[in-house]
């Protein structure tokens, strides 16, 4: 935390929602893995007559906890920050610059443009290409933003900014788990989920920045088009991220953009 951050100047509602997001992520991860370790949902779906009482109780308790958390979060968000859950459209003019400003802001607020775009787009993309349950942690997106904010030099181009952001997001790993990938989306399973999800989100933002008639397709459809475009390049993208090759990844992203 630098001296530029002034906690007292931030709205109490923003502090409350920020803290609630962190707590909710922790509780969501705990109930997800308890339910997964108990094999409750999978066992019950495959062999419902042989579900042990303990597994059934764990599954019901975990689902109840998750519903209560989500309803409580929905209510607080509706009261204090109604735009929290809305996906910022990649077609919004200047959104890439807003994302860049979100990186530079040393802010306690948990949803500047960087967080809002990459967290919400991850939910949309995981939901399109895999079946539930999936676990995406909001506080890890914010950790990537903070790691990027510590870099003194600014990227010279959009592709360089997206390359740097993509590496930071994959290293933080906000996508903890995704469900089964369907056969028709097999390309999505060619890379680790964080690589696949955030590569689509980053490239979609780059392509939309170049302009697109907004009436043709919605954001979900645009993520599908982007996924189909970068599918064959996912292994190369994953390799560049693993080696932390920012210039090489920026060139790869710029090349993909030139194909659009």
């Amino acid at each position: 935390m630098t001296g530029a951050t002034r906690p007292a100047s931030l709205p109490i509602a923003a502090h409350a929602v920020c803290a609630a997001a962190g707590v909710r992520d922790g509780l969501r991860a705990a109930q997800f893995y308890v339910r997964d370790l108990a094999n409750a949902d999978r066992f019950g779906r495959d062999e419902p007559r042989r579900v042990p009482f303990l597994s059934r109780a764990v599954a019901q308790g975990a689902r109840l906890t998750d519903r209560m958390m989500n309803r409580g979060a929905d209510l607080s968000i509706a009261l204090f920050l109604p735009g929290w859950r809305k996906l910022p459209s990649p077609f919004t003019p200047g959104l890439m610059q807003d994302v860049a400003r979100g990186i530079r802001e040393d802010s306690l607020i948990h949803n500047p443009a960087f967080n809002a775009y990459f967290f919400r787009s991850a939910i949309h993309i995981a939901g399109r290409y895999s079946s539930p349950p999936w676990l995406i942690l909001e506080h890890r997106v914010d950790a990537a933003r903070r790691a990027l904010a510590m870099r003194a030099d600014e990227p010279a181009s959009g592709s360089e900014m997206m390359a740097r952001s993509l590496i930071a997001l994959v290293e933080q790993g906000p996508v903890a788990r995704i469900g089964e990938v369907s056969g028709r989306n097999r390309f999505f399973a060619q890379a680790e989920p964080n690589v696949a999800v955030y590569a689509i989100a980053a490239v979609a933002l780059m392509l939309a920045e170049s302009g697109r008639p907004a009436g043709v397709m919605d954001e979900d459809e645009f993520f599908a088009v982007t996924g189909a475009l970068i599918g064959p390049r996912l292994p190369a993208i994953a390799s560049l991220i693993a080696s932390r090759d920012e210039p090489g990844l920026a060139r790869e992203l710029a090349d993909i953009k030139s194909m659009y």
Side-chain angles (χ1 to χ4, degrees), residues 234-248:
L234 277 179
I237 291 173
S239 178
L240 291 165
I241 291 173
S243 62
R244 295 181 57 84
D245 184 355
E246 283 185 17

Side-chain angles (χ1 to χ4, degrees), residues 139-228:
H139 72 278
R140 291 190 185 175
V141 178
D142 192 62
R145 177 180 68 90
R146 292 183 184 280
L148 289 165
M150 295 174 68
R151 300 279 296 270
D153 57 319
E154 285 192 27
S157 67
S159 59
E160 290 172 344
M161 184 189 77
M162 285 297 102
R164 185 174 296 183
S165 300
L166 187 48
I167 290 172
L169 285 161
V170 171
E171 288 182 344
Q172 293 296 333
V175 183
R177 288 280 297 273
I178 62 169
E180 183 179 355
V181 177
S182 64
R184 63 188 179 89
N185 293 323
R186 238 346 115 184
F187 77 90
F188 192 72
Q190 292 182 98
E192 195 267 335
N194 281 283
V195 173
V197 165
Y198 288 112
I200 292 173
V203 173
L205 186 56
M206 290 177 61
L207 298 182
E209 189 75 8
S210 298
R212 184 214 63 106
V216 174
M217 61 181 75
D218 61 20
E219 286 78 5
D220 282 335
E221 292 170 328
F222 193 63
F223 286 140
V225 170
T226 304

Side-chain angles (χ1 to χ4, degrees), residues 42-52 56:
R42 196 177 307 114
F43 192 9
R45 184 170 60 247
D46 296 341
E47 302 178 40
R49 296 182 181 179
R50 296 179 53 199
V51 180
R56 188 164 58 248

Side-chain angles (χ1 to χ4, degrees), residues 33-45 51 55 58-59:
Y33 284 111
V34 166
R35 192 171 70 200
D36 190 58
L37 288 170
N39 209 21
D41 294 328
R42 196 177 307 114
F43 192 9
R45 184 170 60 247
V51 180
S55 289
V58 167

